Amino acid sequence: MRTAPSNFTLEALKEAVDYANSSLFGEYYQSNTEAIDTLMEGGINKEISDDENAQVKGYLQETVIFSLDDCIRKALENNPQIRSAFSNSEIYKTKIGQAWSNYFPTFKATSGYTRNRYLALNFEVQQQEYNYFNALDSSVNQLIFDFGKTKALADIAKTTYQSTMANLDETINTIVYDVKEAYYAVLYALEKENVYLDSVESYEIQLKQAKAFYEIGTKPKIDVTMAEYNLGNAQLGLVKAKNDVKLAIAKLNNAMGLPEENDYKILDKLVMQEYTYNFDELLAKAHESRPALLAYQKKAKASELLVRSSKRAFFPDFEAVGAYSLGGGAKFSDDYGWKFGAQFVYGNTNLMLLKKQMDEAKATHQKDLADLEVEEQNLYLQVKQAYINLKNATESIPITALSLKHAKEQYDLANGRYRVGVGDAIELKDSETTYRTARLDYLAALLQYNISVADLERVVGAKLQEVHTEE
């Protein structure tokens, strides 16, 4: 198992993630603190779901059971996208201190040796060669007041840092969704494999029955041939289903940031957990907690502060200055002296440049405001689409469940008729195909429902509230 870099500390991760008040990660983080502690210490932590598979003193049993929360925790521990986004926020965090560093004194010291030789061919008096040695020249400058320019730069850096933290939370938000989508896809692939296993078993029984009926002369040879053909098709479907399971697990491993993880199993089933949700409430919640929108808001705020900063660039800096010089010509200490005072300094007196920089800042702010409006409109569309998709998936489940019930009854009748010799192979084959298709349709509806829930949570930036029903 990979572990995070040593500088990827738990405290720093907390600080970056705590920025989002209602992030999906925050809820998972609270329940997985011990796991993340283990990660930061460089250890192995593969928690499992039942006592028979318990880990004792670092020893890992052959079978490990992963739940959805286990997979999400693994992704939060190992997915490199999180470390990348976290490191990016740390880069911008340092820029806050860099901005405030303007109020720290600056030191300068020089030392050197100068040899000057003057040649004047037209002078009657011969020029002498003169050496001048400057041993030490030091100075210190301390900014006293710059009319708010440093504070403006620090505020811009702080707001930009908050924007990167929102981007970090959006990265986590997206990874949680990717893990959920991949996890549900694995559940669907496993269920699909079971469907084809049942189909193979059913056709094996049918083949035995067809051979028995043919041997006693009650069924023609074509029933045996058809049963063999149907069994071959079911076996081919099973091979594809098994490969689909491997592909789904590979995608889940990639989402977790563990592409070579193979020592675990998943025993969950696709189910329909009901949730309470209202579109207006979801939209309001998305405006409060969607990390991507918060990042755009902070970006627009930073460009607004940039406009203020560009205006303050027209003002000078007020500095205290101190200097000391020691050196000389013939002797080291022939000349020495010091000075102390205060001065107004213009760092850039190109007024045209300052004016155009201010215009650029204004244009940047207008662009960021437009981008924010676009993001708000996109957010409305995303919440609306996710809401409609979930409603559609919710309404599809009872329909596919009813179709499955009828298909099962039809198959049971056809199978029973064939066992007693009154049904035919075509009727049984058609009913089995219909039943298998109905099972896959029902599983696909459950898959789409769970993915729709995860997608709605992603676009809102918070988990939906579950409906707890008494059994």
Side-chain angles (χ1 to χ4, degrees):
M1 174 182 173
R2 295 179 178 85
T3 58
S6 59
N7 60 345
F8 187 62
T9 63
L10 178 61
E11 292 75 13
L13 180 60
K14 287 181 180 178
E15 180 182 351
V17 174
D18 286 346
Y19 167 70
N21 295 327
S22 304
S23 69
L24 287 173
F25 173 72
E27 300 184 31
Y28 291 110
Y29 173 81
Q30 294 297 331
S31 60
N32 295 296
T33 303
E34 182 180 352
I36 297 181
D37 285 336
T38 303
L39 166 74
M40 300 311 168
E41 294 171 0
I44 296 177
N45 184 15
K46 294 176 178 281
E47 292 191 7
I48 45 186
S49 300
D50 56 56
D51 295 334
E52 295 180 359
N53 298 313
Q55 178 182 335
V56 181
K57 295 183 180 179
Y59 176 75
L60 192 64
Q61 304 289 340
E62 290 185 0
T63 304
V64 178
I65 309 302
F66 274 9
S67 66
L68 177 58
D69 284 346
D70 292 329
C71 294
I72 291 175
R73 186 184 66 251
K74 293 295 181 183
L76 299 178
E77 293 173 351
N78 297 280
N79 195 301
Q81 296 180 58
I82 296 179
R83 296 199 297 273
S84 175
F86 171 80
S87 299
N88 184 59
S89 67
E90 286 295 290
I91 292 173
Y92 284 93
K93 183 179 180 181
T94 63
K95 294 183 181 295
I96 302 175
Q98 292 178 35
W100 283 117
S101 67
N102 289 338
Y103 277 108
F104 281 75
T106 58
F107 297 92
K108 181 180 180 181
T110 60
S111 178
Y113 176 80
T114 304
R115 178 184 178 89
N116 299 319
R117 184 176 186 181
Y118 297 98
L119 296 177
L121 302 178
N122 297 328
F123 290 167
E124 295 181 0
V125 180
Q126 184 178 0
Q127 300 293 316
Q128 65 176 2
E129 190 175 272
Y130 177 74
N131 294 332
Y132 180 80
F133 174 68
N134 186 345
L136 177 64
D137 189 358
S138 60
S139 64
V140 57
N141 290 57
Q142 172 64 58
L143 176 64
I144 299 177
F145 183 65
D146 62 357
F147 296 91
K149 287 185 287 186
T150 293
K151 183 180 184 303
L153 293 175
D155 290 341
I156 293 172
K158 181 179 180 181
T159 306
T160 304
Y161 169 58
Q162 291 172 342
S163 176
T164 61
M165 287 197 296
N167 287 332
L168 167 62
D169 203 50
E170 177 65 15
T171 299
I172 294 171
N173 191 24
T174 301
I175 289 174
V176 169
Y177 168 76
D178 291 342
V179 172
K180 286 184 176 182
E181 183 182 34
Y183 185 84
Y184 295 136
V186 171
L187 297 183
Y188 173 77
L190 292 172
E191 298 273 19
K192 181 180 178 181
E193 181 183 6
N194 291 333
V195 170
Y196 276 96
L197 281 171
D198 292 342
S199 184
V200 169
E201 182 179 341
S202 174
Y203 280 124
E204 287 176 344
I205 295 175
Q206 181 185 355
L207 178 60
K208 292 179 181 179
Q209 291 174 339
K211 287 180 177 180
F213 287 141
Y214 172 71
E215 290 175 357
I216 63 177
T218 59
K219 293 290 181 181
K221 175 68 174 178
I222 192 173
D223 278 21
V224 177
T225 304
M226 182 178 294
E228 291 174 341
Y229 173 79
N230 293 338
L231 177 59
N233 275 345
Q235 290 173 335
L236 178 60
L238 179 59
V239 170
K240 293 181 178 179
K242 289 180 179 294
N243 289 330
D244 288 343
V245 171
K246 295 178 181 179
L247 179 60
I249 290 178
K251 291 181 178 179
L252 177 59
N253 290 344
N254 182 263
M256 291 190 296
L258 298 171
E260 299 177 359
E261 187 76 21
N262 295 310
D263 55 351
Y264 69 92
K265 291 184 178 180
I266 294 176
L267 299 182
D268 285 342
K269 301 292 184 180
L270 282 173
V271 296
M272 179 182 177
Q273 171 63 53
E274 295 186 21
Y275 299 88
T276 59
Y277 52 92
N278 173 273
F279 176 73
D280 292 334
E281 294 177 355
L282 289 172
L283 186 60
K285 186 65 175 177
H287 278 87
E288 294 176 0
S289 58
R290 178 65 189 274
L293 180 62
L294 297 177
Y296 274 94
Q297 291 173 348
K298 293 298 181 181
K299 185 179 179 182
K301 181 64 176 178
S303 62
E304 179 184 358
L305 294 172
L306 180 61
V307 174
R308 300 179 187 178
S309 175
S310 63
K311 293 179 180 179
R312 293 170 182 174
F314 287 92
F315 292 92
D317 296 340
F318 183 61
E319 297 180 349
V321 181
Y324 181 78
S325 298
L326 178 65
K331 296 183 178 180
F332 178 77
S333 60
D334 277 357
D335 300 307
Y336 66 91
W338 56 268
K339 68 176 181 178
F340 177 78
Q343 60 186 11
F344 284 98
V345 178
Y346 266 105
N348 190 341
T349 56
N350 190 329
L351 298 181
M352 176 60 73
L353 176 61
L354 295 179
K355 174 63 171 59
K356 293 304 178 181
Q357 287 177 341
M358 184 175 66
D359 293 342
E360 179 187 3
K362 291 179 179 179
T364 301
H365 181 52
Q366 293 300 319
K367 178 184 180 301
D368 289 343
L369 289 177
D371 290 343
L372 175 59
E373 185 176 354
V374 170
E375 182 64 19
E376 289 175 343
Q377 294 179 0
N378 290 339
L379 180 63
Y380 179 90
L381 178 61
Q382 291 172 3
V383 175
K384 191 71 172 180
Q385 287 178 333
Y387 176 81
I388 293 174
N389 289 339
L390 181 55
K391 295 286 288 186
N392 180 67
T394 303
E395 295 171 359
S396 300
I397 290 179
I399 297 175
T400 55
L402 182 60
S403 298
L404 175 59
K405 178 183 177 182
H406 292 159
K408 178 67 166 58
E409 293 173 353
Q410 179 183 352
Y411 170 72
D412 288 341
L413 289 173
N415 190 34
R417 285 166 54 82
Y418 192 83
R419 280 203 310 265
V420 297
V422 297
D424 59 65
I426 296 178
E427 178 189 22
L428 179 58
K429 192 262 182 184
D430 290 344
S431 64
E432 197 282 334
T433 301
T434 301
Y435 176 47
R436 182 177 63 204
T437 302
R439 290 179 68 182
L440 293 176
D441 289 344
Y442 177 67
L443 292 173
L446 286 176
L447 171 64
Q448 186 57 49
Y449 174 80
N450 284 278
I451 291 179
S452 297
V453 171
D455 186 49
L456 186 55
E457 290 180 337
R458 178 187 65 84
V459 298
V460 172
K463 296 189 69 176
L464 299 180
Q465 184 177 357
E466 297 182 359
V467 176
H468 299 284
T469 56
E470 295 182 1
E471 298 183 358

